[in-house]
Amino acid sequence: MQVFWHRRDLRTTDNLGLAAAADAGDAVPVFCFDDAVLEHAAPPRVAFVLDALADLRERYRELGSDLVVRRGDASAVIPDVAREFDADRVVWNHDYSGLADERDEAVRAALDEQDTRHEAFHDAVLHRPGEIRTNAGDPYSVYTYFWKKWTDREKTDSAPEPDAEALADVAGDDLPSASDLGFEEPDGAIPEAGTEAARDRLESFCEDGIYRYADRRDYPADENTSRLSADLKFGTIGVREVYERTEDAMADADSEGARESVEEFQQQLAWREFYAQVLYFNQSVVTENFKDYENPIEWRDDPEGLQAWKDGETGYPIVDAGMRQLREEAFMHNRVRMIVAAFLTKDLLVDWREGYDWFRERLVDHDTANDNGGWQWAASTGTDAQPYFRIFNPTTQGERFDPDADYIKAYVPELRDVPADDIHDWPDLSLSERRSLAPDYPDPIVDHSERREEAIETFERARGDD
């Protein structure tokens, strides 16, 4: 028998590790709620995982097998399961965070002690970390050059679902509830989890939205994005299946603009792998700046400003809309993620780690590599980051990407009866004008022009400029 250990790959199709285990026959599917991992979890992600596991278990039952579910230290649980089923090999797919590395090393050591073979596969990415390097042999720290090689590399084909006879006939287990795991129900709505739901999202996007992606992806009211981030994070759909579907969309494109738009979406898959590589080779970026400055950055200790940002009460409408979307949906549009991150780190000059931690608590699609990369990009501390002197103006960002204020009005009810021009002019309106238009919406908590200059001076001091 073979044990296949599910982690961030909650699917039966296009699962390289599962396919390899099933090739040897009698594969036993296992999921372990690891207490060390749960310490870093949050209600939205726990809810999504539980729904995804229910879907996965149902699929295994349709195939004549079932999902074995355990809880505890993976380095004890996985060897125990291998002994329970007299398995001669345990198979899993790689994860690339430091926490996962420590866990997997402990599991490998425990399996070695009992002479159980083990094997891991690169499944979550099209190209494993370190496969794409500079001509000098170093990992890339600039995305553009990484992308050029990524797009030229041959991609592995998706793996078929195992046949029923390749899976072990085992009795599965009940799934715990969120409260059993020590979590409350999430505040906001969580997207439907599972492979079919992910495929529906992919198919809907590739039929239409992917051809407008390049032009409209930055406009949050359009919702012209795939919404596959949580699916890719937890592997309810395989990245090879996603890429192959985008290649089909490329073949069906009827104009050069449509083909460029499909490529723009494929670039997001490459960004995902670029940040996975950055994390893999630089585990310290989770808590430390990737970019070295001559002097420490003088972040502000501003608990009131930080709380206003978390609550969506900054008085900058596009920022507040994003933070309220996060609260209501455990999700935020990517352009708005950049805007709110820039506001926290440049307008408020609050340490990016505060924002990263809040996103980790609130996002259903939180991914260590992607979120860390995004936050350090906005803070001008990361690899290939936004230059410190290019500071988003939240007002002009709102005017450009939400010109009719449709997105803002969807999440900031205090402003629903206010004309779009006044919403975008909110920081420049007089106090009496603001009170007349929307008495319940807050005044701006900072002056952007002043804070912009202060941020530039702060980073110049960190650089050691005279």
Side-chain angles (χ1 to χ4, degrees):
M1 276 192 170
Q2 315 280 308
V3 166
F4 179 72
W5 177 22
H6 279 283
R7 295 107 66 84
R8 285 181 51 177
D9 48 18
L10 305 183
R11 66 188 185 278
T12 57
T13 302
D14 190 23
N15 187 321
L16 299 186
L18 176 61
D23 281 346
D26 286 337
V28 179
V30 177
F31 184 85
C32 174
F33 286 98
D34 191 323
D35 291 327
V37 175
L38 288 172
E39 288 180 8
H40 298 270
R45 295 191 297 285
V46 169
F48 188 89
V49 166
L50 287 171
D51 287 349
L53 286 171
D55 180 80
L56 178 64
R57 181 180 61 177
E58 182 60 29
R59 182 57 188 152
Y60 276 124
R61 289 175 175 175
E62 292 170 355
L63 292 168
S65 185
D66 212 328
L67 182 66
V68 175
V69 179
R70 297 288 189 269
R71 182 179 180 183
D73 184 339
S75 65
V77 168
I78 299 304
D80 283 349
V81 171
R83 289 194 300 272
E84 178 183 343
F85 291 97
D86 195 24
D88 56 14
R89 184 174 68 147
V90 177
V91 179
W92 63 83
N93 291 315
H94 282 291
D95 196 353
Y96 303 114
S97 70
L99 175 64
D101 230 19
E102 293 173 9
R103 174 198 60 198
D104 294 356
E105 183 55 41
V107 171
R108 281 191 289 267
L111 291 171
D112 287 341
E113 280 189 17
Q114 64 184 43
D115 294 324
T116 301
R117 293 185 297 122
H118 49 82
E119 188 172 4
F121 291 82
H122 292 281
D123 171 81
V125 291
L126 290 162
H127 303 289
R128 67 181 184 273
E131 183 179 337
I132 297 176
R133 294 175 178 265
T134 67
N135 292 339
D138 300 318
Y140 275 105
S141 59
V142 177
Y143 168 76
T144 304
Y145 302 122
F146 177 88
W147 156 252
K148 288 178 180 177
K149 288 188 178 179
W150 185 95
T151 193
D152 288 337
R153 293 294 174 94
E154 185 176 351
K155 308 294 186 283
T156 303
D157 292 337
S158 59
E161 181 177 66
D163 294 331
E165 56 267 25
L167 300 171
D169 181 7
V170 296
D173 300 285
D174 292 334
L175 292 171
S177 66
S179 61
D180 291 336
L181 298 172
F183 292 87
E184 298 177 352
E185 292 297 322
D187 293 337
I190 301 301
E192 182 182 358
T195 297
E196 288 310 310
R199 283 176 171 163
D200 286 346
R201 284 188 276 270
L202 175 62
E203 189 60 31
S204 176
F205 177 65
C206 286
E207 285 179 354
D208 180 34
I210 198 168
Y211 299 117
R212 294 179 286 110
Y213 186 76
D215 292 334
R216 303 306 300 176
R217 68 188 179 94
D218 281 325
Y219 295 83
D222 286 11
E223 297 188 356
N224 200 72
T225 59
S226 71
R227 286 284 189 132
L228 288 170
S229 52
D231 300 303
L232 289 169
K233 153 70 180 183
F234 293 108
T236 53
I237 195 168
V239 68
R240 286 156 301 280
E241 181 175 343
V242 173
Y243 181 80
E244 287 168 5
R245 183 63 185 87
T246 68
E247 285 291 274
D248 291 342
M250 183 75 80
D252 292 339
D254 59 6
S255 68
E256 184 60 29
R259 285 186 285 274
E260 289 175 357
S261 191
V262 175
E263 183 178 277
E264 186 71 30
F265 179 74
Q266 290 177 335
Q267 284 213 42
Q268 304 313 305
L269 300 178
W271 267 110
R272 180 173 173 269
E273 299 192 3
F274 174 72
Y275 280 141
Q277 175 170 278
V278 170
L279 176 64
Y280 183 79
F281 288 106
N282 306 274
Q283 293 292 333
S284 64
V285 296
V286 178
T287 56
E288 302 297 330
N289 296 337
F290 178 90
K291 182 177 181 178
D292 289 328
Y293 281 88
E294 186 75 20
N295 303 306
I297 299 170
E298 300 163 7
W299 300 115
R300 280 176 174 267
D301 181 18
D302 184 4
E304 291 184 0
L306 175 61
Q307 192 60 54
W309 177 82
K310 290 179 178 180
D311 292 340
E313 298 283 349
T314 67
Y316 282 86
I318 191 70
V319 173
D320 294 339
M323 298 308 295
R324 296 188 196 189
Q325 182 185 24
L326 177 62
R327 183 174 62 209
E328 293 177 21
E329 301 176 11
F331 176 85
M332 190 188 302
H333 184 277
N334 188 58
R335 165 58 58 172
V336 186
R337 293 188 196 203
M338 292 190 285
I339 295 170
V340 304
F343 186 85
L344 183 73
T345 57
K346 302 296 174 58
D347 286 75
L348 298 184
L349 265 174
V350 169
D351 195 327
W352 62 265
R353 283 159 276 232
E354 296 279 5
Y356 172 82
D357 286 346
W358 186 246
F359 273 28
R360 181 168 58 83
E361 288 182 33
R362 292 286 173 165
L363 282 172
V364 69
D365 62 6
H366 166 73
D367 178 280
T368 301
N370 285 349
D371 277 359
N372 181 271
W375 272 100
Q376 293 225 43
W377 181 89
S380 303
T381 60
T383 177
D384 209 6
Q386 174 89 322
Y388 73 92
F389 50 83
R390 290 182 184 166
I391 297 177
F392 279 2
N393 182 323
T395 298
T396 56
Q397 288 285 308
E399 288 175 334
R400 179 177 178 183
F401 296 112
D402 190 28
D404 296 325
D406 291 334
Y407 174 78
I408 292 169
K409 291 183 179 185
Y411 295 101
V412 186
E414 305 97 304
L415 297 176
R416 283 177 186 164
D417 295 327
V418 178
D421 288 346
D422 290 324
I423 289 175
H424 296 312
D425 287 343
W426 191 259
D428 298 321
L429 297 179
S430 68
L431 180 60
S432 62
E433 288 174 318
R434 290 197 291 263
R435 290 293 177 270
S436 172
L437 289 165
D440 296 327
Y441 184 66
D443 299 319
I445 61 173
V446 294
D447 181 296
H448 170 73
S449 296
E450 293 177 1
R451 287 300 179 90
R452 178 184 181 278
E453 296 304 317
E454 185 176 338
I456 291 173
E457 292 171 2
T458 297
F459 276 85
E460 286 177 346
R461 286 194 297 273
R463 282 163 46 90
D465 296 349
D466 293 331

